[in-house]
Structures are given as structure tokens and as C-alpha cells.
Amino acid sequence: MNRFNVKCPECTYPLAAEHYNTPVGHQVCGNCLSKVVVHALPALYRKKQSGASAQEAGLDDAGCYFHESKKAAHVCDSCGRFLCELCALPMGEETLCTSCLEHHRSESSSRHDFIPRQFRYDRLALGLAIIPLVYFPLTLFTAPAVLFIVLRYRKKELFMAQHVKGRMVTAFILGLLEVLGWLVAFIALIGWFINE
Amino acid sequence: MNEPSEYRKMNRGSRARLSLQRIWIGRDHLLLIRASGWNEVYRRFYFEDIQSFTMIWSRGYVIWGILLPLLALILFAMVWSWGARIAAGITGGVFLMLWMVHLLKGRTCKCWLQTGINNERLHMLKRVSHARKFWEQVEPLLIAAQGDFSLEEMDAVGMFPDRKMRPVPPAVPRVDDPNAGAEGASDETAVVN
């Protein structure tokens, strides 16, 4: 059995390589009898160049920014630093250094290509504007929060987010109406007390 | 930044437990977005790292194919027995409609995308037709990044265990061997030099 064989996702039994990439049909897992279709790619058995073999820099060689004694083999596409095999991080078509990757993964980065997660303030604002309507007294606390979130984060750029403005505007209008509703109720209550 | 032009939407998204999953095609990677509540988690699968796309035919198609007409029949009979004939017709009709849609959508499946470090379930691909359409869109990009799969090459590389991954431990010197200590010392000297 080849050690690169794709395992059945249900039972981790190795699937026969002869049936990979067949145009039609499927193979049956020898263990769980599931019908499986496998599309395999060369990355399955080809080794990626590992950074463990960074060469020592000669007198005429440029050295790595992070390891002076190592020969520079790449240039960071973001900051332009020379990098040895050990420090170069291939990210798709780009090569980055560790510090640039760390910077791009933070939310403060202007690039959004590498962020691992994101908080959606537009959804939070809309949720806080709509969900408490089920039990109206809660809006006394949530409506000001909605207005705060919308005003505070209205200009925040969100990655892969659609209809942000629409959500923000809807949340703002609802929040404003809820606040106005409470104001009217308080004024009416105060007026009622004065009249009494 | 609202939906950068370098990303292309692949499907409408689908519920997976408590989150909504969507997948987009980027310039050099697939972007899997898992949205749960107000948080979004992004996973990137670079074309050159994807090892395989696996699809398993699930039993949902057969199970729902049997359950839905049965439910339609039971509910129809139940509501009919109450005397509400129109309501019985509507109830049965709705379930029959669901059954027809289910049958027309085709076989159900579960899909996984494998890279060197993980095997990610793609919850948005629940039908074989959707999975095939997905693969038709992605395959040319993956082949452009990696080249064609070769079974011969895989056999040549992978039929033997990788010796580099399992280093052989040094031999334990025998106690009863009088030259063991001397050999060990000379080896150590060699390493130091």
C-alpha cells in the first residue's frame, strides 16, 4: 500500500489509488463500504521545498535579514527583506517574512488577505436592534448600544463583507426609533406625573 | 472593503451546525468563510497545497426519499380523518412537493478538501451535482498550479516508508563487549571534530 493514499474520511481506511481521478463512477471503501469519489492532485506525493536546508552565506553572498550567516534566497514581497530558505514563507504566489505575515494577520493591517477572523459589527448592530424587539423593555439598553456601535464603527473596512452599509443604516434607523420611542414614553410619563 | 474583485463566489452558502459556510475562489487560493453569529473565521487553501478532493455518497438521499412520501401519506390520512379535506390536500401536497424537489436535486454527498495538515469538510456541498460543479470550476486552477496527477510518480515516491521521517536510533553498545567503551569514545571524538 502506498503511504500517500487518500484515507476514507469516514473510517480513515486507505483508498486504492487506481480509482483516483476516474471520470465517472466511484469506488467502494474496503472498510465502511461507503461510495467514494477521489480527485487526487500531485501535492499528495510531491514534497514542498523545506526550509531546513538553508545554505551558509559565502563572502560574496547576501545574507538573510534574520540569520546573517545564512545565504539569502528569497525577497519578502511585502517589505523587501532578504530571506534565507528558513525564513521565507510561501503564501500562494507571494513570499513573506515572519514579521510581515504576523502584521498582515492582525486586524490593524491595511491588507486583509491574511486575516484569520473578523468581528462583524454590522451584524451585531442589526442583531441588537432587532432581536430585543421580542421583549421590548430590553431595547432600553440595547438601542443606545446600537447607536454607539454604528457611530463608532461606521467607517471600519470589513473584509469580504457585503451590504455593510445597508445593515448599518437599518440598525441605526431602528435604534434611533427605539430611543425616540423611549424618550416619548418618558416625557409622557413625566407629563402624567406633573398633571397628577 | 466590500467583496474584493479578486474573489469569485462559488455558491450561496449552507448551514453547518451553528454556522454558515461559504466558499470563494481567490487568485491563488480558495477562501472558506465560516460565519457564526457576529464572528467570521477564514480558512485559506492555496491551490498548490490542496492534495485531494473527496466526495462520499451519503444515505440522506435514500432515507429522505422514503421518509418524505411516508410523512405525506400519514399526515394526509390524519388530517383527512379530522374531516378537513382541503387542509389534508395542502399538507400532503406540500410534502409531495418537498419529495419531488429532493428527488430532482439528485444524490446527497459529503465532501472534504485535504491539504498536508488538515482534512476540511465542505458543508456547503451536499449534493453530488453541486460537488461536481464545484470540482469542474476548481480543477483547472489546481492543475494549472500543480500539474497533472501521475499514479506512476506517486507509486515511485510512496511505495517505501520515508526513512528521513523515522530516524534510526543509534545502536546500544553491548555491556559484555570489551571494545564497546573504546568504540563509543572514538565515535564521540569523531563527532566533536
Side-chain angles (χ1 to χ4, degrees):
Chain A
M1 187 63 75
N2 195 305
R3 66 187 158 96
F4 293 118
N5 277 23
V6 177
K7 313 281 187 300
C8 172
E10 295 281 24
C11 65
T12 69
Y13 187 80
L15 299 163
E18 292 75 33
H19 303 294
Y20 295 172
N21 300 343
T22 45
V24 284
H26 56 266
Q27 62 168 308
V28 177
C29 172
N31 186 41
C32 66
L33 304 178
S34 299
K35 291 175 182 172
V36 192
V37 177
V38 179
H39 296 287
L41 291 150
L44 195 61
Y45 51 84
R46 275 184 204 156
K47 271 193 176 174
K48 284 192 89 174
Q49 284 185 342
S50 71
S53 58
Q55 292 178 352
E56 293 293 326
L59 285 174
D60 297 335
D61 294 329
C64 170
Y65 179 85
F66 298 101
H67 307 100
E68 284 180 10
S69 62
K70 300 290 182 189
K71 185 180 173 183
H74 300 275
V75 177
C76 174
D77 288 324
S78 183
C79 64
R81 287 170 181 160
F82 287 151
L83 305 170
C84 64
E85 291 284 358
L86 201 66
C87 299
L89 302 172
M91 304 298 294
E93 292 172 357
E94 286 183 89
T95 302
L96 297 177
C97 64
T98 47
S99 57
C100 283
L101 181 63
E102 190 182 347
H103 173 67
H104 290 323
R105 281 173 69 86
S106 65
E107 282 202 27
S108 59
S109 169
S110 57
R111 284 183 62 174
H112 294 82
D113 312 15
F114 299 106
I115 58 166
R117 59 182 61 83
Q118 179 175 247
F119 195 82
R120 292 290 299 271
Y121 294 100
D122 56 328
R123 285 192 185 150
L124 175 68
L126 195 61
L128 281 178
I130 292 174
I131 295 168
L133 290 175
V134 177
Y135 184 63
F136 193 76
L138 282 178
T139 56
L140 182 61
F141 307 103
T142 56
V146 169
L147 296 184
F148 171 77
I149 290 166
V150 172
L151 293 174
R152 172 76 177 78
Y153 297 105
R154 69 185 187 282
K155 285 183 182 170
K156 188 169 174 62
E157 286 189 352
L158 295 171
F159 171 64
M160 295 297 288
Q162 295 170 295
H163 316 304
V164 176
K165 257 187 188 169
R167 280 198 199 96
M168 284 290 202
V169 169
T170 312
F172 186 76
I173 291 169
L174 283 173
L176 201 63
L177 285 175
E178 287 164 9
V179 168
L180 286 176
W182 279 108
L183 277 177
V184 169
F186 276 123
I187 290 167
L189 199 69
I190 290 165
W192 181 74
F193 269 118
I194 290 169
N195 288 338
E196 282 292 308
Chain B
M1 189 189 294
N2 292 346
E3 189 185 330
S5 56
E6 66 199 60
Y7 284 103
R8 203 151 43 89
K9 202 176 191 176
M10 295 224 38
N11 58 3
R12 285 183 304 152
S14 176
R15 291 259 157 221
R17 294 194 188 99
L18 293 174
S19 61
L20 179 77
Q21 276 196 359
R22 281 171 291 153
I23 198 158
W24 297 68
I25 300 181
R27 190 163 29 91
D28 55 2
H29 64 273
L30 294 175
L31 178 70
L32 182 73
I33 304 176
R34 193 178 296 141
S36 49
W38 305 305
N39 251 321
E40 279 188 349
V41 177
Y42 306 104
R43 303 201 72 164
R44 292 167 180 82
F45 300 93
Y46 289 94
F47 293 152
E48 58 194 37
D49 296 335
I50 294 172
Q51 295 184 342
S52 70
F53 172 71
T54 313
M55 178 169 70
I56 286 190
W57 294 17
S58 64
R59 296 184 187 92
Y61 185 71
V62 178
I63 292 170
W64 285 109
I66 295 167
L67 272 183
L68 281 171
L70 271 178
L71 273 172
L73 202 67
I74 291 166
L75 286 172
F76 175 80
M78 208 160 72
V79 181
W80 185 276
S81 68
W82 297 339
R85 293 181 178 183
I86 296 172
I90 290 170
T91 313
V94 165
F95 274 86
L96 282 178
M97 189 84 85
L98 285 175
W99 183 53
M100 289 298 292
V101 169
H102 170 71
L103 291 181
L104 287 173
K105 274 184 148 181
R107 290 203 66 93
T108 53
C109 67
K110 297 176 192 171
C111 296
W112 283 266
L113 204 61
Q114 182 182 320
T115 65
I117 52 169
N118 59 9
N119 202 7
E120 184 77 25
R121 169 93 189 269
L122 302 178
H123 288 277
M124 74 291 294
L125 301 175
K126 288 178 177 166
R127 300 277 174 175
V128 172
S129 56
H130 293 169
R132 281 191 181 138
K133 200 174 162 189
F134 167 80
W135 183 246
E136 278 168 16
Q137 282 181 287
V138 171
E139 189 183 19
L141 301 169
L142 298 180
I143 288 175
Q146 296 186 28
D148 284 314
F149 177 82
S150 157
L151 190 58
E152 292 76 28
E153 195 181 340
M154 181 177 153
D155 278 342
V157 180
M159 284 307 282
F160 304 101
D162 190 358
R163 288 180 185 278
K164 282 179 186 171
M165 287 173 71
R166 295 175 190 169
V168 180
V172 179
R174 290 178 58 181
V175 179
D176 56 345
D177 187 358
N179 296 327
E183 275 175 17
S186 65
D187 282 353
E188 204 171 311
T189 314
V191 171
V192 169
N193 288 334

